[in-house]
Every structure is written in structure tokens, then in C-alpha cells.
Amino acid sequence: MKQLFYFILLLAGFSSIHSCKQLLDEDGNPLLDMNDNSGFTGPRALYREITDSDTLAEYHYNGLLLTKVLLDSGSVANVAYSGDKISKIDFMGFLDLDGDGDLDKDSISYTQLFTYGPTGRLETISENRSFFKRAPTIPAGPQTLYKKTKSIFNLKYDASTAKLDSIIMRNGPDASGTPFAYTDYSKTKYEYQGDNVAKVTRHYGPMAGGIFAAPTNKFSYEYFTYDTQISPFTLLPFAYKVSRLISTDINDKESFILSPNNPKRFAISDLMLPIPSPVIFTTDYSYDAQTYMKVGFGVNYIYKPL
């Protein structure tokens, strides 16, 4: 299990190769590219995350509201609102569920519904997820449904700081003709240095009758040496960032997207005994004239004016 985990991490590591991509948005308007953009002082939006070979994400807006995210291999997340708050995200496409660095060939669709508390904070995300696969024939047939699950994510906040403190997930198979019950859980804990996420721990385990059993897997993600410049992810809604983190088990490695600044170093550790040395990633950043980060961990961040 540990050898597989670290093999996964090495494959999923960030590339250090940078690139230039098309610098026009979907309407043909010029983007804020990798130059200093010294003349740009107005409001901006995050438009693309790109590497040397792929567009990882392309963000579309209606005015100030994020409405659609186009992802690798034709995947898409549609974002719906109630007022100015995200109420639903529908995803269709491909994810890297096994963490081997490549998108799975089997496709997934899910719907996430967002519930807010009396203070306006996001408190619950409920999800229905469907898994599709192709029969191993030549030629391959159409993708057919083979599994469904239900999950609920409960978000808790620190009473003194109002920062996200933890996410508790419950998950179970949604099989026709079978009474539904949660069979698995995870507990994610967030720690901070100032306003930035410093450490995330996540424990996974089975559950039955509403009772959590001892965890069977434990991982931690630590972030160091934050700069004082602006993270591109400050331009995305909090609810979408949480949705991105919970879309796969391994996406916790991206928990720095909740921070206002950018970590230059992070470490991933398997906490199950015996605990091996962590896997560490480092980067240097470049910034534009308005101190927004534009290149880091092998990813270019492209902005556009609003």
C-alpha cells in the first residue's frame, strides 16, 4: 500500500516545464498573459490553468459569476446559483481516481447540492455519483452504468477564526432494491499559519450503523514557505474550491488553493505505521505587476479582465 502510494505521488508530481498557450479568451478578447501586464489595473478573473501540453482548466463566467469549468479530456463542470451562492455543480467526464497521474478511462458523472447555514457559510454538500465503463470488446462498446454512490460532506468552522476547520465525509453504495446505508467515512482536519493552510490530515475508514471504525488509511499534506503575493485561486468561489478538493481522495494535495498566498514547498506523508519519509515538492514562482502569481509548480495561470 505504501509503495503504491509513493509511486502514485511520483507520477502525479508537478512538472517544471512551462509553456505559452493561446492568449485569447472564448470571445476573442486578449488575455493577461505571462508578461507583466503593467497597464492592467482593473478587476480580473482566472481564465486558464495550463501546462506545456494540456489545458487543465478553463473558467467561464456570466458577469462576475463562475458558471462553467472545462477540464482535461472534455470533462465539464456546470455551476448553478441561488442568488450569488453556488447551489449545484454537475460534473461529467473523467477523473484520476486511482491517483496514477492519468485520467481514468471510465467516466463519471456527479451532482453536488450545496446547503448554507444561517450565517451564509457553506455547511453541507450532498453528492450523487454514477460510474460508467466500457465493455472490454473490440471495438469498445458504449459506456454503461455499473455503480452509483451517495455521499454527504459536513463542513465545520473554527468558532474564533471562522476558518474551515474540518470536513467529515460519509459515503455508501446506492444499489437498486437495497436499503441505503453509509459504509465508509473520512475526516479531514485543516490547520493554519495566519490565513494560509499549513497542514491537512485526512483519515479514511469503514463505518456501520452510523459508527466510525478505526481508520485504515491516514495521510497528511503540509505547506511551507508561503510568499506574500496573491494566489490565483482567490478569484474562484470558496464552494467551487471545496468541490474541487472533494472530487477525488487524492485532491487533498491541492488544499493550498484555500490560501490567499502561494506555498513554495509542500510535503505529502503516509501516516500509517511504519511512517516513511514524506515526499516533498518545491517550486519558484513568477508574478505579474499586480502581484498575482502567474507560474508555479509547472502550471501557468492566465487571467482575463472582467
Side-chain angles (χ1 to χ4, degrees):
M1 174 65 185
K2 292 181 183 294
Q3 290 179 341
L4 175 61
F5 175 70
Y6 285 104
F7 179 67
I8 287 170
L9 290 179
L10 291 172
L11 287 176
F14 293 93
S15 168
S16 61
I17 302 173
H18 302 158
S19 68
C20 292
K21 289 284 186 176
Q22 176 188 359
L23 299 178
L24 299 175
D25 68 12
E26 71 276 13
D27 298 318
N29 299 315
L31 302 173
L32 306 181
D33 59 20
M34 295 168 59
N35 300 313
D36 284 342
N37 302 301
S38 57
F40 180 77
T41 58
R44 66 173 65 197
L46 178 60
Y47 182 57
R48 284 193 181 122
E49 298 174 52
I50 60 177
T51 67
D52 62 306
S53 58
D54 295 306
T55 296
L56 304 180
E58 181 176 292
Y59 300 95
H60 292 239
Y61 302 84
N62 181 6
L64 300 177
L65 298 180
L66 175 69
T67 57
K68 180 182 293 188
V69 184
L70 303 180
L71 300 154
D72 197 6
S73 296
S75 301
V76 60
N78 291 301
V79 184
Y81 289 81
S82 177
D84 62 351
K85 296 185 181 301
I86 291 177
S87 59
K88 183 172 71 167
I89 292 179
D90 289 312
F91 173 88
M92 295 173 289
F94 303 89
L95 295 170
D96 179 16
L97 296 181
D98 58 11
D100 67 355
D102 296 316
L103 294 178
D104 299 342
K105 297 187 181 301
D106 297 338
S107 65
I108 285 175
S109 69
Y110 61 73
T111 295
Q112 294 171 339
L113 301 178
F114 297 76
T115 302
Y116 298 82
T119 62
R121 293 188 304 202
L122 177 63
E123 292 190 349
T124 304
I125 303 173
S126 58
E127 178 188 282
N128 290 300
R129 183 172 292 214
S130 298
F131 299 77
F132 301 85
K133 66 168 52 176
R134 297 185 189 277
T137 59
I138 300 176
Q143 296 218 2
T144 57
L145 176 67
Y146 76 94
K147 183 174 71 172
K148 298 173 69 176
T149 61
K150 289 183 180 180
S151 302
I152 189 164
F153 301 82
N154 296 112
L155 286 69
K156 305 295 182 184
Y157 299 85
D158 185 278
S160 60
T161 65
K163 294 182 176 67
L164 179 64
D165 177 78
S166 61
I167 300 177
I168 298 177
M169 182 274 291
R170 297 169 177 83
N171 172 272
D174 182 17
S176 178
T178 302
F180 177 77
Y182 292 118
T183 57
D184 302 279
Y185 76 90
S186 72
K187 293 182 178 181
T188 307
K189 174 71 175 177
Y190 297 87
E191 300 176 38
Y192 297 84
Q193 182 178 19
D195 290 331
N196 292 309
V197 174
K199 184 176 182 179
V200 177
T201 54
R202 189 168 184 180
H203 295 183
Y204 304 84
M207 63 178 297
I211 305 300
F212 294 167
T216 54
N217 287 291
K218 302 177 184 179
F219 302 108
S220 76
Y221 309 84
E222 295 186 76
Y223 307 93
F224 309 93
T225 321
Y226 274 92
D227 61 17
T228 58
Q229 313 305 310
I230 304 173
S231 166
F233 298 102
T234 59
L235 300 172
L236 298 178
F238 173 76
Y240 176 77
K241 289 185 282 189
V242 173
S243 173
R244 173 168 166 166
L245 293 178
I246 66 176
S247 63
T248 76
D249 289 344
I250 203 170
N251 267 22
D252 288 307
K253 71 180 186 292
E254 297 185 346
S255 293
F256 60 83
I257 70 176
L258 300 176
S259 302
N261 307 118
N262 308 286
K264 297 180 181 179
R265 180 172 178 262
F266 75 92
I268 305 178
S269 300
D270 184 336
L271 300 181
M272 298 298 288
L273 296 174
I275 298 176
S277 299
V279 176
I280 297 174
F281 301 92
T282 61
T283 192
D284 289 321
Y285 290 114
S286 63
Y287 310 92
D288 67 17
Q290 285 71 51
T291 72
Y292 281 87
M293 189 265 282
K294 60 182 183 180
V295 182
F297 289 114
V299 179
N300 297 314
Y301 296 90
I302 309 300
Y303 304 91
K304 69 175 183 176
L306 282 177

